[in-house]
Amino acid sequence: MSSIKFIWSLMASVFVLISSISSQSAFDSHLNVQLYHSLDANDVTGFTSRGNITIISINLGDIVVNQKELNSKERDVLKRLAKDKKLYRLKAEVVGSDGVKTTFLSSLKACHLIQSALHDFITINFDHNNAVLGVNIKAVSLDETSDDCDNLGLDNFNEFSTVVNLKNIEAAPIPDTQGFIQKLEREKEMRDKGEIDNRSFIQKYWMYIVPAVILLLVSGVTNTEGQGAAR
Amino acid sequence: MRRFKYSLMNIVIILSVVTSLCSALYEDQIGKFDWRKKFVGTIKFGYFDAQNADKSIVATDENVLAAISSKNGDILWRKVFETDNTRGEIKFLHVTREGKSIASQSGDQSPFDIITVNGNNPFFFRGYNMNNGNLLWEWSITATSQDPENSLFFFKEYSMYHVLPIWNSHIEVTEYHASTGQQSNPTTSSIFAAYITKDNCVLNGQYFACIVKEQLLVIDLIADQNNLRTKAIESPNSSIKVIRGKDNVIQVGKSVLNLEDLTVIYENKNDVELYIESDKIIRVVQNEKDVKILTENAELSSIEDLPETLDNNLKIMATKCKPKRDDTNQIACRFLLSTNDGAIALVQQGKIKWVREESLTKISAVEFIELSLSDAQGAIEEELNSGDEEHSNSDILSSLYRRLHSQYGMIKNIVLHLLGLGPPPSFSQRAGLVRDDFGLHKMMVIMTKSGKLFGIDNVSGKQHWVRVLKNSEGFSNGQGIRLLVQRTSKFYPLPTQCVIIAREKITGNGIIFQFNPLSGQTIDKGLLNLDYKIKQAALLNYGDNFLRPILLVDTNDNVHILPESSLKQADGFFFYTVNRQTGFLNGYMIQHENNKVDLLPTWNLNLGGTENEQKITHVVSKNSVERVHSQGRVLADRSVLYKYINPNLIAVVTEGPDSIHKYMLNVHLIDVVSGSIVFSMNHRRAKGPVRIVHSENWLVYSFYNEKIRRNEITSIELYEGKTQTNSTIWSSLNAPPSPLVERQTYIISSSIAALRETITEKGITNKHVLMALDSGAVVEMPWMLLDPRRNSMVPTEYEGIIPYIPELVIQHENTINYNQTIAKISGIYTAASGLESTCLVMVYGLDIFVTRVSPSKTFDLLKEDFDYFLISIVLIGLITASYVVKHLAAKKTIKQAWK
């Protein structure tokens, strides 16, 4: 496998999550997201291609992810990045159905990316018109996230395993006046029909009467004692 | 039975909430914990009362008409018009000059002596009585011609004239009877004048003057014929302006002209400020330190050593002169002056009688600064501090020595004080600016938009110091002048230090001003003019000498740290920038390598939408000094729901039009370190004005629902869930799980002018949300009522959640400013006091109101009417009784033993 040759491999592990079914966006559209990453800490503006995400339908969450394999040189650079406690930065060029290109940037600690063995989440946020608000990358969090990256090997991992998460804007709640009125009506109905109590007065309020009687009795007893003492 | 129990429970809960909220004031407590100062705003038009000049009538840019006493500068009466300039803006003010009411001359029913014109089509004409400010008549007109906002007005002999210049075409003049609004002529007269242009024309009284090429054209708008006169002028590029004081004088270029006969009456060679008082020209000549007010041949008034607190750019708004009694030719005058920084001053006989600081109506930033320790407290602090520093080699003997030494010093001080030989008290002690036991006494440092800085006592309302930062203004992008606290008062004996970060008016470069907020004195070089434009400013964490270094990023993305020795501290600092117009948010990290700092862009977001239609209107972060005491919330099943407390979380509100729903309002919660959108929500057919408050794990905001035409308030609460990811350290870069979001919307009957949460020192006290209503009241709303978990889904009986009711009722007994209405509230500032129960509040707008609130009542303070006498009598009684009884009991046992 020569390093010049681009090997595109369809990732075996591609999950798609749609956090909220997009009942809001009335129309559907497709997107193409080109991914680039910056692995060299000394070259801030240099980004190399990582792969691309094609979103065939935003509403259905139909997604295809193609990502390049990392070659040994790139792996070494990435390891150095982690060792130096630098950030791994991802640039995403989003081209919508209208052909407008927007560039988004996101970053995470390179160390965390290696710890999670190149398993990452990419979240794409949409607004009410299905316009992209942002593209964010997160490493799949393991049980223990530490910043100690000196002794991590990356030799067994050369593919990114990415979970793409499409997140739509959520509809805000509106004051639930209808529900409240219905609740009041229900309560009124209940009061009107079901709650007419046929039990006798004693049956209804025995729990108040009994303590009162006991109290009376007790005080009566002490009173008679007192009188007795006085006599 | 169960139902009955439920409703009983609900009633108990509601009752307990309602009763616990009644934090009302007793009648004798009025003004004890609070004060209010009334203002009028920066003066636009001003006149003296013609009879004896004992008051001045002013109209201001805050849409206020007021009468100010000439004796002490108090407001005699004040009329506040609508904030909205289309209805409230004062376009014209006329005050009778003859000293007689207008109507008494014309034989009308109601005598009036003030006329105002407000608004922008419709125009409201109103007549007032000068003595009491009563409105006597009111009428309005709506101009149907094009560009009615260009309208001008003048008053002449019982008639109001509405002058509407249609640029490059003609002038429309309509005459109305002043008190009734009846048109004198059924038609509007049109004067053909194709040469009039916006920048070259002025109206003064009945004369409309224009510069056309090398001529001055003057149109008499009342004259029936021969209404146009011309006069040649030197240069066509001369400026034209009205000279205040008389209805017929203007200045063209440098010559001052009388419009009645077009004669040059004065050559204003140095282009100084002029005013006309009964045909005399009054000049204001300003030097470095003093200001002279002169007529052509005599000096009327000379203000020696003008206080530094006044901008020396004085303008005469009104004068009143009368001949001096002793000297026949001399006159004595009273001047009403206004300055560039918004102050109003009255000058008489070369002395400033009073100054009103009206720039306080436009507040840009506020901080409450804790006062410094008194000398005695400081000595104790010093003793403890020195023990800390030499911890390793401190032994019993040396600490005993220190103790004895400091106690000797205290005794010496007391003796010297008693003998009257002690050292003179320091500035802060003289002014009574010493920290009190409960930390309720603070210094309010107020930065105004005009670049004036104030140090005001929060207990008495006294201005301890005032400073003017010349040529400073707020930043573009809607950001005002910043006021940051670099070192608090905790680090005795180091002085407290604040910094102002502003923009130079002319060059746009940055300005830094470091000062001691307690005394107002400059620190180091004082005002520092930077040679770059500031893009972002922040404070780093405490560095050398417990001073927080300033981080500045200029527009070329260079990082500057002040002082430069703290360069290393900036490493790993994250910050973000927001572009309100495009909706772009950019996140950066600062890297420090090889003694150099540079920026690394880490993330960006685009909240602007597809066509950039969404504009960012609010960016709200949490209060940086806030502490969260309780990490979670106990649920009905005794499990804990942990709060999502992310210190890096900000809320961003965007508003914009929408093709389907007309208006859209989006709210995004963004982690600004990782750049991830934690949560976003969308309101359809909703628009601003949005008022928002973000604290702990919640967000509350109000907006206007266009669809149902009502105000609504939404609250959001974030929870991590039943387990806490990391209870010790929060890191946004460690990919914390996304939170559970509780949300609820309530209807609110009043529109809200400002929102703010209460804050206390340790965060143990309940949080209340302070709501300033448009009516001028400030209501304390308990968080319990705004709780988004108030819905039908959650079992309410154990958690103490109030059952959901769609409308949020404003309880008027929770109004913290009782009958002290605060006009035009623009903001609320809250600060923690030394008492956990008490939060200090400052409400500002046109007025300033300062008070304190205790959301969970004053649980750490004895009541004012606590009976110390009774409790000490009881205690002493009990102790003596126990001794006596003990004695008696002992006697008795002895007796028993002998039996």
Side-chain angles (χ1 to χ4, degrees), chain B residues 861-874:
Chain B
L861 205 61
L862 286 177
K863 280 217 174 70
E864 275 210 327
D865 52 358
F866 184 79
D867 205 336
Y868 293 95
F869 181 71
L870 185 71
I871 201 153
S872 22
I873 290 285
V874 168

Side-chain angles (χ1 to χ4, degrees), chain A residues 176-191:
Chain A
D176 187 13
T177 37
Q178 286 297 322
F180 183 69
I181 291 164
Q182 273 166 16
K183 187 183 147 201
L184 285 184
E185 272 169 4
R186 261 202 316 278
E187 268 174 21
K188 203 181 160 209
E189 262 173 42
M190 291 277 274
R191 252 205 314 278

Side-chain angles (χ1 to χ4, degrees), chain B residues 388-665:
Chain B
D388 277 347
E389 277 162 28
E390 299 149 27
H391 196 71
S392 52
N393 56 2
S394 71
D395 51 74
I396 296 168
L397 279 178
S398 66
S399 53
L400 180 73
Y401 168 74
R402 273 203 306 277
R403 155 119 305 203
L404 289 176
H405 182 79
S406 70
Q407 278 174 346
Y408 163 73
M410 281 181 214
I411 291 166
K412 194 175 87 180
N413 274 345
I414 289 167
V415 171
L416 283 177
H417 184 76
L418 288 176
L419 296 173
L421 298 168
S426 63
F427 164 76
S428 53
Q429 275 170 322
R430 251 176 315 174
L433 290 173
V434 180
R435 196 181 300 175
D436 61 335
D437 292 340
F438 296 141
L440 294 166
H441 192 179
K442 298 211 176 192
M443 178 69 92
M444 296 162 38
V445 178
I446 299 175
M447 185 72 223
T448 63
K449 283 177 187 158
S450 64
K452 218 164 187 182
L453 189 62
F454 295 88
I456 297 176
D457 197 313
N458 81 321
V459 172
S460 62
K462 189 185 162 201
Q463 284 174 16
H464 284 291
W465 53 267
V466 184
R467 289 201 88 90
V468 186
L469 304 183
K470 278 177 189 161
N471 295 327
S472 57
E473 60 170 8
F475 296 97
S476 57
N477 214 358
Q479 285 245 22
I481 300 176
R482 298 278 299 275
L483 167 64
L484 301 167
V485 185
Q486 279 191 282
R487 180 163 52 211
T488 61
S489 314
K490 278 178 192 149
F491 307 100
Y492 188 85
L494 295 165
T496 321
Q497 187 169 336
C498 281
V499 64
I500 297 279
I501 301 170
R503 187 168 68 159
E504 231 268 24
K505 248 181 207 165
I506 304 150
T507 57
N509 286 345
I511 296 180
I512 298 271
F513 177 66
Q514 287 175 305
F515 64 101
N516 180 338
L518 300 181
S519 63
Q521 277 150 351
T522 54
I523 290 176
D524 291 347
K525 287 158 254 166
L527 203 69
L528 196 68
N529 283 303
L530 306 173
D531 53 359
Y532 47 85
K533 292 183 174 65
I534 297 173
K535 180 173 162 185
Q536 183 60 284
L539 289 182
L540 300 175
N541 211 348
Y542 287 105
D544 303 340
N545 284 329
F546 305 104
L547 191 73
R548 300 183 70 177
I550 309 163
L551 167 96
L552 296 170
V553 181
D554 66 20
T555 38
N556 297 327
D557 283 353
N558 295 319
V559 181
H560 307 265
I561 311 275
L562 297 170
E564 271 178 36
S565 55
S566 307
L567 207 63
K568 214 177 155 195
Q569 242 184 299
D571 188 33
F573 187 86
F574 287 84
F575 74 94
Y576 65 99
T577 59
V578 177
N579 189 327
R580 276 173 190 261
Q581 288 308 309
T582 59
F584 270 104
L585 266 79
N586 288 299
Y588 301 90
M589 191 180 90
I590 294 173
Q591 288 179 317
H592 177 262
E593 260 172 341
N594 312 327
N595 224 4
K596 221 179 89 208
V597 279
D598 52 356
L599 286 185
L600 180 73
T602 54
W603 55 267
N604 70 333
L605 298 171
N606 175 17
L607 305 181
T610 33
E611 277 140 25
N612 225 342
E613 74 279 4
Q614 292 275 327
K615 306 282 177 228
I616 294 175
T617 53
H618 291 80
V619 179
V620 198
S621 60
K622 295 175 198 179
N623 195 331
S624 58
V625 296
E626 177 184 86
R627 285 195 196 180
V628 184
H629 181 71
S630 158
Q631 292 293 308
R633 179 168 182 165
V634 182
L635 300 184
D637 59 359
R638 301 276 163 244
S639 62
V640 176
L641 192 59
Y642 285 99
K643 291 175 181 173
Y644 178 86
I645 299 162
N646 182 350
N648 306 321
L649 199 70
I650 61 159
V652 180
V653 181
T654 64
E655 290 172 49
D658 188 79
S659 50
I660 307 162
H661 301 290
K662 225 166 146 189
Y663 300 104
M664 278 285 184
L665 193 142

Side-chain angles (χ1 to χ4, degrees), chain B residues 638-822:
Chain B
R638 301 276 163 244
S639 62
V640 176
L641 192 59
Y642 285 99
K643 291 175 181 173
Y644 178 86
I645 299 162
N646 182 350
N648 306 321
L649 199 70
I650 61 159
V652 180
V653 181
T654 64
E655 290 172 49
D658 188 79
S659 50
I660 307 162
H661 301 290
K662 225 166 146 189
Y663 300 104
M664 278 285 184
L665 193 142
N666 292 345
V667 178
H668 307 278
L669 290 171
I670 296 163
D671 185 311
V672 286
V673 170
S674 68
S676 64
I677 299 179
V678 172
F679 180 68
S680 49
M681 209 159 73
N682 159 257
H683 291 267
R684 288 179 207 171
R685 287 201 75 168
K687 62 173 187 179
V690 173
R691 311 285 175 216
I692 185 163
V693 53
H694 187 187
S695 171
E696 293 195 351
N697 65 327
W698 51 264
L699 180 75
V700 169
Y701 55 92
S702 71
F703 56 93
Y704 184 70
N705 187 333
E706 246 286 315
K707 194 176 174 189
I708 319 178
R709 292 169 187 277
R710 66 185 177 198
N711 291 296
E712 292 183 358
I713 192 159
T714 297
S715 62
I716 297 175
E717 233 181 343
L718 305 170
Y719 288 102
E720 276 193 33
K722 299 260 169 114
T723 53
Q724 209 169 7
T725 9
N726 193 338
S727 56
T728 46
I729 303 161
W730 177 275
S731 171
S732 293
L733 289 171
N734 284 355
S738 35
L740 309 168
V741 183
E742 301 279 355
R743 64 206 95 157
Q744 189 60 271
T745 303
Y746 301 95
I747 303 163
I748 191 147
S749 53
S750 173
S751 88
I752 290 170
L755 279 181
R756 185 84 187 208
E757 87 283 9
T758 60
I759 184 166
T760 52
E761 206 177 14
K762 301 266 187 278
I764 299 167
T765 308
N766 285 343
K767 286 248 170 193
H768 281 191
V769 176
L770 298 172
M771 288 181 177
L773 310 181
D774 273 352
S775 60
V778 179
V779 180
E780 214 178 335
M781 179 71 75
W783 167 246
M784 213 177 208
L785 293 169
L786 290 162
D787 196 341
R789 286 172 61 80
R790 277 182 74 185
N791 58 35
S792 41
M793 302 299 155
V794 182
T796 56
E797 67 266 42
Y798 296 113
E799 273 183 57
I801 295 174
I802 304 161
Y804 179 69
I805 299 165
E807 184 167 353
L808 207 58
V809 183
I810 293 171
Q811 281 161 354
H812 291 281
E813 59 270 27
N814 288 344
T815 309
I816 60 168
N817 57 335
Y818 47 106
N819 63 353
Q820 306 265 51
T821 308
I822 308 154

Side-chain angles (χ1 to χ4, degrees), chain B residues 286-470:
Chain B
Q286 295 167 348
N287 300 319
E288 274 295 300
K289 277 253 157 174
D290 62 335
V291 172
K292 286 194 168 71
I293 299 174
L294 313 156
T295 56
E296 267 155 288
N297 43 24
E299 184 177 302
L300 290 177
S301 200
S302 156
I303 311 161
E304 306 282 332
D305 48 70
L306 191 74
E308 268 179 45
T309 58
L310 275 185
D311 194 317
N312 62 358
N313 210 342
L314 297 168
K315 273 194 212 109
I316 300 179
M317 299 311 294
T319 59
K320 180 74 190 170
C321 293
K322 55 183 178 194
K324 272 190 191 165
R325 274 176 212 152
D326 49 344
D327 207 326
T328 42
N329 256 340
Q330 294 277 321
I331 49 169
C333 293
R334 194 176 256 186
F335 301 99
L336 185 70
L337 306 172
S338 89
T339 67
N340 263 3
D341 55 30
I344 304 174
L346 189 108
V347 170
Q348 195 177 3
Q349 293 161 343
K351 276 196 199 101
I352 295 174
K353 257 184 117 178
W354 49 259
V355 177
R356 287 187 67 87
E357 297 290 2
E358 295 298 338
S359 58
L360 283 170
T361 55
K362 294 183 184 67
I363 289 177
S364 174
V366 188
E367 283 290 343
F368 274 43
I369 309 288
E370 204 166 349
L371 298 175
S372 64
L373 297 168
S374 66
D375 289 349
Q377 286 169 315
I380 297 168
E381 197 80 359
E382 233 164 38
E383 184 203 325
L384 294 172
N385 266 351
S386 51
D388 277 347
E389 277 162 28
E390 299 149 27
H391 196 71
S392 52
N393 56 2
S394 71
D395 51 74
I396 296 168
L397 279 178
S398 66
S399 53
L400 180 73
Y401 168 74
R402 273 203 306 277
R403 155 119 305 203
L404 289 176
H405 182 79
S406 70
Q407 278 174 346
Y408 163 73
M410 281 181 214
I411 291 166
K412 194 175 87 180
N413 274 345
I414 289 167
V415 171
L416 283 177
H417 184 76
L418 288 176
L419 296 173
L421 298 168
S426 63
F427 164 76
S428 53
Q429 275 170 322
R430 251 176 315 174
L433 290 173
V434 180
R435 196 181 300 175
D436 61 335
D437 292 340
F438 296 141
L440 294 166
H441 192 179
K442 298 211 176 192
M443 178 69 92
M444 296 162 38
V445 178
I446 299 175
M447 185 72 223
T448 63
K449 283 177 187 158
S450 64
K452 218 164 187 182
L453 189 62
F454 295 88
I456 297 176
D457 197 313
N458 81 321
V459 172
S460 62
K462 189 185 162 201
Q463 284 174 16
H464 284 291
W465 53 267
V466 184
R467 289 201 88 90
V468 186
L469 304 183
K470 278 177 189 161

Side-chain angles (χ1 to χ4, degrees), chain B residues 146-203:
Chain B
Q146 59 176 348
D147 301 332
E149 66 274 7
N150 293 334
S151 291
L152 302 164
F153 305 89
F154 70 92
F155 176 82
K156 182 106 185 162
E157 289 173 15
Y158 328 128
S159 288
M160 274 303 301
Y161 292 85
H162 173 218
V163 181
L164 180 54
I166 313 285
W167 304 124
N168 303 316
S169 170
H170 62 278
I171 308 168
E172 290 175 4
V173 183
T174 322
E175 185 186 350
Y176 298 93
H177 187 258
S179 58
T180 58
Q182 278 172 339
Q183 273 195 36
S184 309
N185 298 316
T187 51
T188 298
S189 63
S190 245
I191 300 167
F192 177 73
Y195 43 81
I196 58 170
T197 49
K198 191 167 186 168
D199 300 327
N200 292 333
C201 293
V202 291
L203 176 82

